Amino acid sequence: MATTGIVRGQLIKFQVSTVTVDDQLESSLSITRGVSDVTTKQSTGKWKEFLSDYLEATGTVSGYYSRDATEGVSQAFSDITTGDAIAILFTTEATGDDTYGANAILTSVELSAPLEGPASYNFSYQITGAITEATA
């Protein structure tokens, strides 16, 4: 059944090749549209003019580091060293909810190990091509 009302962040999962990245704390998907400045001397008043350009998207996921993760730091290390695009998905996994899928290139893998507290990871992705919206 589709989720209703405000969606709790903990319901949204970041997946790589249909496998949920383990021990997630936070994930994000950001879509940006570029613009070109086309302001000329003939532009009206003091307002700049722009044309709409291409869309671009990035994603991040962070969480606690677990050596036995099914999808975690070890897999991310492999993904970043090969440089191949991988399938990613933002989903609640609830039937009827929207999902957002794309191909992405892993651009950053960070592993943090504080003196006290749990070790953590942070991965950054560059989306390549279009994002598709579908219903689970």
Side-chain angles (χ1 to χ4, degrees):
M1 180 190 303
T3 306
T4 58
I6 296 171
V7 178
R8 293 182 57 86
Q10 76 183 75
L11 294 177
I12 299 174
K13 309 284 190 285
F14 182 91
Q15 297 181 340
V16 174
S17 300
T18 70
V19 178
T20 298
V21 176
D22 289 318
D23 303 310
Q24 290 180 48
L25 294 175
E26 187 172 337
S27 58
S28 69
L29 177 63
S30 177
I31 303 170
T32 306
R33 177 173 293 283
V35 294
S36 293
D37 186 343
V38 294
T39 308
T40 67
K41 292 180 180 181
Q42 287 77 34
S43 295
T44 306
K46 296 183 184 255
W47 292 97
K48 286 190 168 198
E49 297 178 88
F50 296 90
L51 288 179
S52 177
D53 286 339
Y54 290 103
L55 291 168
E56 175 181 19
T58 57
T60 63
V61 61
S62 63
Y64 291 130
Y65 172 53
S66 175
R67 293 193 63 238
D68 61 353
T70 302
E71 185 66 46
V73 173
S74 178
Q75 295 74 22
F77 179 79
S78 176
D79 292 339
I80 200 165
T81 56
T82 63
D84 295 333
I86 54 175
I88 63 167
L89 186 69
F90 282 85
T91 179
T92 63
E93 298 179 322
T95 302
D97 279 3
D98 296 330
T99 64
Y100 301 92
N103 288 318
I105 298 168
L106 188 59
T107 58
S108 172
V109 174
E110 179 183 339
L111 181 58
S112 178
L115 175 62
E116 293 193 30
S120 61
Y121 65 81
N122 188 0
F123 308 148
S124 297
Y125 296 86
Q126 177 67 54
I127 308 300
T128 179
I131 296 174
T132 56
E133 182 179 30
T135 303

